Amino acid sequence: DHPHSTIAVDRDAGRLVVGANDGVCYAWTFPGLERVWTFETDGDVKGPVAVHDGLAVFGSWDDYVYAVDLVDGREVWSFAAGADVMTGPAVADGTVYVGSEDENLYALAADDGFRLWSFETRGVVSSPTVADGTVYVGSEDERLYALDVGNGSKRWEFEPRAVPKKPAVADGTVYIGTDGNKVHAIDASAGSEQWT
């Protein structure tokens, strides 16, 4: 079935990886583009694949987050969420941040998948973004949350009155698009809107 996720390239490992609607994560050599391994899950792999420290990290609609060795495709760890994982993870400073349709954003240790903390929303529909000690994530409750990366405590929330998509952060400003056809610029420290 067709590839759905955003492609990831790890030049150090020499791998290009992508997930597909057939539930498989595929890997090729890079830049040679020879197929080297496949990793099968029991659900669609729709979200972007993250590469970090020799691992491909991704979610599946089988309710799991997987970390797979980029060289040989063997499973290093998996984490059972309570529902589909359709967003892509963000990886920063040894921690994987990933959302699930079980209404939680999870922080997992990148080396073994141990759950460090979780934050409850009404369903995480955007891939999270990490910047300056804060993880930003959009939810089906039409809110953008800013959370402390260390313990998941809420710093602020912003309500655009439409479901926010993956945030981008630059120069102290968070930018989000919404399914309400708007773009919002939000002060990263205070959560106040700068413009729409």
Side-chain angles (χ1 to χ4, degrees):
D1 205 341
H2 66 278
H4 197 107
S5 78
T6 303
I7 292 167
V9 174
D10 188 309
R11 292 179 184 275
D12 291 334
R15 294 290 184 265
L16 180 150
V17 290
V18 67
N21 283 1
D22 58 8
V24 178
C25 183
Y26 295 88
W28 293 265
T29 59
F30 185 84
L33 299 182
E34 296 179 14
R35 174 85 57 80
V36 288
W37 55 259
T38 59
F39 182 87
E40 295 186 17
T41 76
D42 290 327
D44 298 8
V45 180
K46 290 188 178 283
V49 178
V51 291
H52 170 75
D53 197 24
L55 298 176
V57 184
F58 56 93
S60 170
W61 281 21
D62 67 2
D63 306 350
Y64 278 83
V65 179
Y66 295 95
V68 176
D69 187 282
L70 276 168
V71 174
D72 58 19
R74 67 181 169 80
E75 182 178 317
V76 176
W77 56 260
S78 61
F79 171 79
D84 294 347
V85 181
M86 60 185 297
T87 68
V91 186
D93 298 322
T95 303
V96 174
Y97 303 92
V98 64
S100 169
E101 284 292 296
D102 71 358
E103 304 187 347
N104 286 289
L105 177 76
Y106 293 100
L108 311 174
D111 59 350
D112 61 7
F114 178 77
R115 185 173 87 167
L116 304 172
W117 55 259
S118 61
F119 179 82
E120 186 173 355
T121 74
R122 287 234 186 119
V124 177
V125 293
S126 84
S127 298
T129 298
V130 179
D132 301 320
T134 303
V135 57
Y136 303 92
V137 67
S139 169
E140 286 183 324
D141 59 12
E142 300 185 347
R143 288 173 171 82
L144 174 72
Y145 293 99
L147 310 174
D148 183 278
V149 294
N151 58 22
S153 62
K154 184 173 68 175
R155 292 187 168 163
W156 52 258
E157 65 183 65
F158 174 77
E159 188 175 357
R161 295 185 176 83
V163 176
K165 305 307 179 189
K166 180 178 172 63
V169 183
D171 299 325
T173 301
V174 182
Y175 302 92
I176 57 163
T178 70
D179 62 3
N181 299 321
K182 292 184 178 179
V183 174
H184 301 265
I186 304 145
D187 182 279
S189 59
S192 55
E193 186 172 71
Q194 297 174 332
W195 53 260
T196 301

